[in-house]
Amino acid sequence: MKPVRTTARVLLSGIFLASGIKALAGPGGLVPRAKRVTDPMATMLEKIDPRLPTDPETLVQINGVVQVGGALLLALGHFTRPAATMLAASLIPTTIAGHPFWTIKDPEERQRQQVQFLKNLGLLGGLLLAAADTQGRPGLRWRTEHLADSVAGSVRRGTKTAKREAKIAMLTARDRLPG
């Protein structure tokens, strides 16, 4: 199964690497479409911390960095679950800003944008699968539950042993008492 996972991760990461590089190299061309998302986000970011960047070009570049970094991690098989999660998070505003088919009047252009929107939803589905994939190993929830069970078992055994040793010590002490 490992070759399938590796191939799938590489194929899935390709579009994010390409679009992330495009955003870093020429953010100006993406800014007009991105403003649909960056302008409301800027208001929210200013409320969180006024030092956070809010200009659309910088936000497009940050999204590009997330996409390039996430794509490389995913393709190389390092931190694949967090990488897929980061890419999924970056894909949502990218899709809303880049393919608002619901605002387009021209039927042909609307159809093209709807296809791109749906393609991105398919990518999002692939990223969600990658984010949930434990590669056949137990997930954190399973490991936590089994660790708790193991600790509880160890405590029970330790308690039983301590009771038995205390009983033996009491019997031994009683046998040694004079008469």
Side-chain angles (χ1 to χ4, degrees):
M1 190 67 159
K2 186 169 172 68
V4 172
R5 280 189 176 97
T6 301
T7 303
R9 285 194 310 262
V10 169
L11 293 173
L12 187 57
S13 67
I15 193 160
F16 295 100
L17 186 59
S19 62
I21 289 170
K22 181 180 176 184
L24 289 172
L30 301 171
V31 167
R33 291 171 82 180
K35 285 175 102 23
R36 174 179 292 108
V37 172
T38 60
D39 288 350
M41 188 181 286
T43 306
M44 183 181 67
L45 290 172
E46 286 173 349
K47 288 179 183 175
I48 294 171
D49 188 344
R51 296 173 294 176
L52 291 173
T54 57
D55 65 291
E57 191 165 316
T58 303
L59 294 174
V60 166
Q61 287 177 317
I62 289 170
N63 194 48
V65 167
V66 168
Q67 288 185 342
V68 168
L72 290 173
L73 288 171
L74 187 63
L76 296 172
H78 298 294
F79 303 104
T80 55
R81 295 176 75 193
T85 303
M86 286 178 8
L87 289 172
S90 80
L91 184 60
I92 293 168
T94 300
T95 302
I96 292 169
H99 307 294
F101 68 90
W102 55 92
T103 65
I104 299 171
K105 301 288 183 234
D106 177 40
E108 286 183 26
E109 181 60 21
R110 182 184 181 101
Q111 178 65 29
R112 274 194 293 280
Q113 291 303 319
Q114 189 173 22
V115 166
Q116 293 301 312
F117 185 90
L118 293 171
K119 174 209 48 135
N120 281 9
L121 289 183
L123 288 170
L124 182 61
L127 290 169
L128 293 175
L129 284 172
D133 182 23
T134 62
Q135 299 181 32
R137 294 187 300 264
L140 184 59
R141 179 179 173 188
W142 186 91
R143 288 183 285 174
T144 303
E145 288 172 356
H146 283 77
L147 176 63
D149 290 345
S150 174
V151 168
S154 294
V155 168
R156 279 192 302 273
R157 285 188 301 277
T159 304
K160 207 176 202 181
T161 301
K163 281 182 179 178
R164 185 175 53 247
E165 288 178 0
K167 186 176 181 180
I168 292 169
M170 284 179 46
L171 291 172
T172 304
R174 190 176 59 192
D175 290 345
R176 291 187 180 164
L177 288 174

